[in-house]
Amino acid sequence: KGTGCSFIVNGKTEIHLNTIGEHNVMNALAAFAVGEKLGLSIPEIVSGLAKFKPTGLRQNITEKNGIILINDTYNANLSSMKAALDVLASFQQKTGKTVCVLGDMLELGTQSEEIHREVGEYVQKKKISQAFFIGKDAYFIKQGAGFGDWFANKAEFLDFAAKNKTTFENAAILIKASRGMAFEEIAEKIQ
């Protein structure tokens, strides 16, 4: 279902994770090395990594009614936005349609506009099918992407989504913003 991945360590040890994304593989490799350094056996490390599940609102991937929903609403910064967009793009071949719903990344200070634009450029680079941007600073994501629809707030977007349900059918959908934006409400409505 696209909710896990496997990889080989040291040419012989297969690791399975219950999540996807290159960033998670890199974290697992670091955990593997730490486990070895602490004297854990290879089977103990493999078992521990296989039991890992993202918590709460971090890259929670569900599949229901033709929609693959990536609820990554816990927090957002430049690197986590890019990693989440990588995960979304990985579903392009499976669904044929990728949709991102991105909101403000908070507490970025004077670099906020520049960082939001960079996320938008990454949306364009990943060839995301449809994009929706919500929030004051998310307007700069739209400018960086050069396409998509911008909404001043969640209420405006949710009104649009309710009237345009087919926009979200048979798609992989990423929902991501800083925690203060409370985008889990959007994830619940779309699902």
Side-chain angles (χ1 to χ4, degrees):
K1 291 186 176 184
T3 57
C5 69
S6 295
F7 58 97
I8 305 293
V9 177
N10 297 330
K12 59 186 175 194
T13 304
E14 183 173 3
I15 303 290
H16 178 76
L17 297 178
N18 292 311
T19 189
I20 62 175
E22 183 178 337
H23 60 292
N24 285 315
V25 171
M26 299 305 286
N27 290 338
L29 288 170
F32 188 94
V34 169
E36 280 189 313
K37 191 75 171 166
L38 293 174
L40 296 174
S41 70
I42 299 297
E44 287 174 315
I45 297 168
V46 170
S47 174
L49 289 170
K51 292 175 186 172
F52 168 78
K53 290 188 176 159
T55 58
L57 304 173
R58 288 185 169 110
Q59 203 177 85
N60 185 346
I61 302 172
T62 57
E63 191 169 350
K64 186 177 178 182
N65 301 325
I67 294 173
I68 297 171
L69 183 65
I70 306 163
N71 180 351
D72 199 345
T73 57
Y74 181 75
N75 214 343
N77 58 46
L78 179 59
S79 61
S80 71
M81 280 281 204
K82 287 182 174 182
L85 287 162
D86 288 342
V87 169
L88 175 62
S90 74
F91 286 102
Q92 178 65 38
Q93 190 171 6
K94 181 174 183 174
T95 63
K97 183 166 119 181
T98 52
V99 177
C100 67
V101 180
L102 304 179
D104 292 350
M105 295 175 284
L106 304 175
E107 301 172 8
L108 296 177
T110 59
Q111 294 182 310
S112 184
E113 182 178 333
E114 177 185 339
I115 291 170
H116 281 85
R117 284 182 196 278
E118 187 173 338
V119 168
E121 291 166 6
Y122 204 72
V123 167
Q124 184 182 60
K125 177 181 176 183
K126 296 313 268 182
K127 297 183 175 27
I128 304 303
S129 307
Q130 289 185 281
F132 301 98
F133 310 109
I134 305 165
K136 177 178 65 82
D137 291 332
Y139 181 76
F140 300 117
I141 303 175
K142 178 187 178 347
Q143 286 186 329
F147 76 102
D149 296 301
W150 177 79
F151 300 88
N153 55 55
K154 277 190 309 189
E156 285 181 13
F157 173 77
L158 289 171
D159 183 54
F160 167 85
K163 294 175 182 171
N164 297 279
K165 291 180 181 179
T166 59
T167 300
F168 304 98
E169 292 176 353
N170 302 311
I173 304 166
L174 167 65
I175 302 171
K176 186 157 182 67
S178 278
R179 185 74 200 103
M181 298 293 287
F183 269 26
E184 65 275 7
E185 180 183 354
I186 294 173
E188 290 168 12
K189 298 279 185 187
I190 287 179
Q191 197 161 44

